[in-house]
Amino acid sequence: MTLAPTDTEDLAKGGEPRINDFAVKFANVNGTGSASANNLILRAIFRMGVPVSGKNLFPSNIQGLPTWYEIRVSGKGHTSRSRRYDLMVAMNGQTYAEDIGQLGAGGFVLYDSTWPLPATLLREDVNFLGVPLARLCGDAFSGPRERILMKNIAYAGAVSYLIGIDPQVLAELLEESYSGNPALRDSNQKALRLGYDYAEANLPATLPFRLRTDTGTKGKILIDGNTATALGCLYAGATVAAWYPITPATSVAENFQKLCERHRRRKVTLADGSVETRNDYVILQAEDELAALGMVIGASWAGARAFTSTSGPGISLMNELLGLAYYTEIPAVVINVQRTGPSTGMPTRVQQADLLECAYASHGDTKHILLLPADPKECFEFAVQAFDLAERFQTPVMMLSDLDIGMNDWVVDKLSWDDDYRPDRGRVLSDAEIEEVGHFYRYGDEDSEFVAPRTLPGLTEHGAYFTRGSGHDRYGLYTEDAGAYAEVVERLARKVEASADRLPKPVIQSKPGANIGVITMGSCEAAVIEALQLLESEGMTLDYMRVRGFPFGSEVKAFLDAHERCMVVEQNRDGQLRSLLILEAGGDGRRLTSVLSFGGLPMSADQVAEGIRNEMQE
């Protein structure tokens, strides 16, 4: 089943204000600096101890087109996208009609009243809150660009008054952000006060929804997935990154470089007594994604921990070299921050449509290890595991994040680290071990997980071997003999299957008496968990499983076998997770039903709940 949008509902009803339970949507023009204002509001809500999530819906051009930012406040900690808005901050005349039309009866619109709204946009069932932002900033600031930028901060001030953000929290955030630039700090403070003071003097003192200081973010941090991924690569011991810019993965490499500049440099005393600062890392911007992966494979073959970050189009280009690394058994880590496709698709929209491509990437018989994080915290943890798995099993490992996880801010538990961690380098022979075995054969002497030992260049010559992507036997020698070739590729298949026991276990929630299950992956979890809670309140009890790795472990097959029927919730058109469950976990297609969303917007709980209800009725 395909999910479709539903009508908005009346969110502004009488009675006591709803506390810490509402959604605000900001309609802006891309390239005008609105992101700073919107992020300021998000961080202020978090700083007040209230769980919050932000979804940035932006175009793939540089500037000029409409962009939206959605903030959901949820005291219960729900982080999936809301499709029902209490307050629309309408700052883009091009989209007034669309933005106002999205509000249900009783909703509120904050707009720039320097110019009157066209009569055709006015609705009797919607409350319009006008603030003359352009006039206020025109009187207070001199430069044209400054007026545009400060107008955004001014509406942030008005919004902060309306929803109850503590002004002191905003002042502290501005102080932190602009401590090195007092002039810019003062301009922002001035603009913030302009909007706040006007709203306080002219707008309603209370709305049907409001913030209240809480403790819901205690022990939490606000972080995006690409930053968390870069941090995980650093902690894993990665020293080489090769990449080609692509939305939405670019900031993985950019953040990794910033981290390396702080933590991968050391001072060396030279023979003449002088001190020199050296980099203990290499970051290369390649000419394309294929070259980037080639550099990673070369660095990994030489013994470094290396990775590349990309998105769907990059994975398409990398297929040939993914097959090379698989067949020659060279570790490689690939971070795939998924976006919509095919082809260029919509670069700034989200999907989970690379699953099958990544699982079987390259021509010939290949199968790859995949990690499927659901949030930035798991991006950090799984990035570390990716390097351990790649080296233990001497094969490419791909971590499939997505745009929603990678580029949006999430509230997650503080990241933790075990200082006793030691990288799992796998079966790498030392000089002494090479001499002890006498004759080193690269693809022989497999262990219980079907992994053969490897050597690193620069050691004893007795560990040298020729790496070839053409047919080779267990000794590393060229062959076109059917039996010798089959022996190698059959071991590769068993090796990848053996990795299932070392992958993150699926998250499973079981309810007494439930005989129907819901299965999902990645960033869908937030929407699915909230939907299941909603359905349970309606008397519908369902079990839940989120797969976190591929190949699937025994727990996945057991979950499928234990349920009469399972609904598979995912963000792609073709039900790729469902297909993989049928192909690789023995799932019965007659008992697996798809609940799909693939329009490019983050999934919402009411979409999932509606889809499950419809499938249950059928």
Side-chain angles (χ1 to χ4, degrees):
M1 173 181 179
T2 300
L3 301 179
T6 60
D7 294 331
T8 56
E9 300 175 1
D10 184 354
L11 293 174
K13 298 179 180 179
E16 291 296 317
R18 277 177 287 116
I19 301 300
N20 298 343
D21 181 21
F22 59 90
V24 182
K25 187 169 184 176
F26 300 84
N28 302 105
V29 177
N30 198 36
T32 60
S34 58
S36 298
N38 301 336
N39 189 256
L40 177 67
I41 294 172
L42 181 81
R43 289 186 293 143
I45 296 171
F46 176 81
R47 189 70 64 89
M48 289 178 64
V50 181
V52 62
S53 60
K55 307 293 185 186
N56 192 12
L57 310 177
F58 59 102
S60 56
N61 73 332
I62 297 175
Q63 67 178 33
L65 289 182
T67 182
W68 293 270
Y69 190 76
E70 301 173 353
I71 290 179
R72 181 184 181 187
V73 177
S74 172
K76 296 180 179 179
H78 295 309
T79 58
S80 66
R81 176 176 177 254
S82 175
R83 295 186 302 164
R84 300 183 296 270
Y85 313 108
D86 297 88
L87 173 62
M88 179 70 67
V89 182
M91 294 292 125
N92 186 356
Q94 299 176 49
T95 61
Y96 271 165
E98 176 184 351
D99 298 330
I100 294 171
Q102 289 183 6
L103 282 171
F108 291 79
V109 177
L110 177 67
Y111 70 101
D112 186 350
S113 60
T114 304
W115 305 278
L117 284 176
T120 55
L121 297 177
L122 299 178
R123 290 173 49 186
E124 292 184 359
D125 61 344
V126 168
N127 305 283
F128 290 86
L129 308 173
V131 179
L133 295 163
R135 178 172 61 80
L136 291 172
C137 292
D139 294 341
F141 301 99
S142 56
R145 181 62 179 169
E146 185 182 31
R147 288 170 175 170
I148 293 173
L149 296 176
M150 290 305 111
K151 177 180 171 180
N152 295 322
I153 302 301
Y155 79 61
V159 169
S160 67
Y161 168 76
L162 289 170
I163 65 176
I165 294 178
D166 185 346
Q168 184 59 34
V169 171
L170 289 169
E172 291 172 358
L173 286 170
L174 289 177
E175 181 67 34
E176 294 170 10
S177 299
Y178 302 110
S179 59
N181 191 333
L184 190 56
R185 177 202 60 200
D186 294 344
S187 295
N188 276 267
Q189 292 279 23
K190 181 179 180 180
L192 198 68
R193 180 51 63 182
L194 281 174
Y196 191 97
D197 289 348
Y198 184 92
E200 185 178 34
N202 298 278
L203 300 184
T206 58
L207 296 182
F209 47 90
R210 198 154 185 86
L211 284 172
R212 179 181 295 161
T213 301
D214 202 351
T215 59
T217 60
K218 185 177 181 180
K220 309 280 187 179
I221 61 172
L222 195 63
I223 191 172
D224 65 86
N226 285 355
T227 299
T229 297
L231 195 60
C233 292
L234 182 86
Y235 271 73
T239 56
V240 177
W243 65 294
Y244 184 79
I246 186 170
T247 302
T250 293
S251 59
V252 174
E254 291 177 338
N255 284 317
F256 183 71
Q257 179 171 340
K258 293 176 184 176
L259 290 167
C260 286
E261 289 170 352
R262 291 184 59 185
H263 303 290
R264 288 268 190 273
R265 306 188 76 186
R266 59 189 171 90
K267 294 186 182 299
V268 177
T269 302
L270 304 180
D272 62 1
S274 62
V275 177
E276 179 179 274
T277 300
R278 293 181 179 175
N279 294 334
D280 283 336
Y281 65 92
V282 175
I283 298 176
L284 300 160
Q285 182 174 324
E287 59 267 33
D288 55 37
E289 290 90 346
L290 184 62
L293 182 56
M295 295 171 183
V296 167
I297 292 172
S300 298
W301 176 83
R305 286 199 149 183
F307 76 96
T308 186
S309 56
T310 190
S311 192
I315 295 292
S316 297
L317 288 173
M318 292 177 183
N319 264 239
E320 181 180 358
L321 285 184
L322 285 168
L324 172 70
Y326 170 83
Y327 190 35
T328 57
E329 302 185 64
I330 299 174
V333 171
V334 179
I335 307 298
N336 179 8
V337 187
Q338 299 172 91
R339 71 188 206 189
T340 61
S343 188
T344 305
M346 296 188 291
T348 58
R349 295 291 184 263
V350 66
Q351 265 187 3
Q352 298 170 316
D354 297 347
L355 183 64
L356 288 176
E357 179 187 28
C358 289
Y360 303 116
S362 191
H363 56 278
D365 291 321
T366 53
K367 189 182 294 184
H368 300 293
I369 298 172
L370 309 181
L371 299 176
L372 308 169
D375 57 37
K377 184 174 189 294
E378 286 193 340
C379 285
F380 171 74
E381 296 168 347
F382 289 8
V384 177
Q385 293 183 50
F387 288 95
D388 284 347
L389 289 164
E391 293 198 305
R392 168 170 281 277
F393 291 97
Q394 301 174 21
T395 194
V397 173
M398 285 176 269
M399 187 177 88
L400 275 62
S401 175
D402 63 42
L403 184 146
D404 185 21
I405 299 173
M407 297 192 71
N408 288 324
D409 289 312
W410 292 61
V411 175
V412 297
D413 292 338
K414 286 183 178 179
L415 307 182
S416 59
W417 183 252
D418 182 1
D419 287 334
D420 292 329
Y421 166 80
R422 294 295 179 270
D424 184 349
R425 305 308 304 267
R427 297 189 69 192
V428 180
L429 299 183
S430 66
D431 281 0
E433 289 170 328
I434 294 170
E435 297 297 339
E436 183 179 339
V437 299
H439 296 283
F440 169 69
Y441 299 117
R442 174 61 182 94
Y443 302 114
D445 187 30
E446 66 267 21
D447 62 13
S448 60
E449 294 178 314
F450 310 101
V451 180
R454 67 183 176 119
T455 60
L456 300 180
L459 302 180
T460 172
E461 61 183 15
H462 294 150
Y465 65 95
F466 189 78
T467 304
R468 63 176 81 243
S470 54
H472 54 262
D473 61 17
R474 66 194 308 268
Y475 305 108
L477 302 175
Y478 176 79
T479 186
E480 293 187 14
D481 178 78
Y485 166 82
E487 181 182 21
V488 171
V489 295
E490 285 174 349
R491 179 180 61 78
L492 293 179
R494 291 193 291 269
K495 179 181 73 171
V496 173
E497 287 299 321
S499 71
D501 291 336
R502 294 187 178 272
L503 302 187
K505 302 298 182 185
V507 174
I508 297 176
Q509 297 178 6
S510 299
K511 301 286 185 178
N515 57 12
I516 295 178
V518 176
I519 304 173
T520 193
M521 63 178 172
S523 62
C524 297
E525 177 173 68
V528 175
I529 290 293
E530 184 180 354
L532 292 180
Q533 293 175 5
L534 175 61
L535 293 171
E536 187 171 14
S537 70
E538 300 172 1
M540 193 181 303
T541 303
L542 303 164
D543 285 344
Y544 170 75
M545 177 175 69
R546 173 170 64 87
V547 297
R548 301 199 296 169
F550 174 81
F552 301 126
S554 58
E555 300 88 353
V556 174
K557 179 173 175 50
F559 187 91
L560 293 173
D561 292 342
H563 295 86
E564 296 177 2
R565 185 179 176 195
C566 288
M567 280 163 274
V568 186
V569 182
E570 51 187 311
Q571 295 186 96
N572 56 71
R573 183 196 66 186
D574 296 337
Q576 295 186 25
L577 177 58
R578 176 180 178 272
S579 296
L580 208 57
L581 290 168
I582 295 171
L583 289 168
E584 301 288 348
D588 184 345
R590 296 168 297 181
R591 296 163 56 190
L592 293 176
T593 304
S594 289
V595 177
L596 306 174
S597 174
F598 50 87
L601 298 177
M603 188 175 280
S604 65
D606 58 331
Q607 280 183 301
V608 176
E610 178 188 0
I612 292 176
R613 287 192 201 99
N614 291 340
E615 291 301 325
M616 294 287 286
Q617 290 171 1
E618 293 179 9

